Amino acid sequence: MMKRLYDSLAEDDRRRYAAIESRSWGMVGSSNISSVLQCDPKTIRRGLAELEETADLDTSPCPKERGGRKTTNRDIC
């Protein structure tokens, strides 16, 4: 069930979920969670770093605007 939930999350939520789960497993958490969720241990470390930051987490449902060609009215229709 953990893997199904993990796969259903967005990328940044996956990192944070894996980080919280690894914390709850104690000393061996990072290696065990990375094998259960089939993710890189670096992903878990990055999630832990994000959660430990004092700045608020970005919880907006919309993706951030990226580079590339801007949309026009014709692109929307």
Side-chain angles (χ1 to χ4, degrees):
M1 288 190 333
M2 286 174 61
K3 178 72 171 137
R4 285 185 62 204
L5 173 63
Y6 178 79
D7 289 338
S8 72
L9 298 172
E11 181 180 349
D12 55 346
D13 294 329
R14 285 181 185 184
R15 283 193 303 270
R16 296 170 192 156
Y17 175 71
I20 289 174
E21 284 295 332
S22 75
R23 277 283 171 96
S24 69
W25 285 36
M27 295 292 286
V28 294
S30 184
S31 61
N32 286 347
I33 289 294
S34 66
S35 65
V36 168
L37 298 179
Q38 299 172 348
C39 67
D40 196 318
K42 291 179 197 173
T43 302
I44 296 173
R45 285 194 297 270
R46 185 174 172 194
L48 286 169
E50 287 177 3
L51 291 172
E52 291 172 354
E53 288 178 359
T54 56
D56 290 335
L57 297 174
D58 180 22
T59 57
S60 62
C62 298
K64 294 179 183 174
E65 191 169 325
R66 305 275 189 224
R69 188 170 69 90
K70 303 298 179 202
T71 59
T72 62
N73 288 340
R74 286 188 211 162
D75 293 338
I76 295 171
C77 298

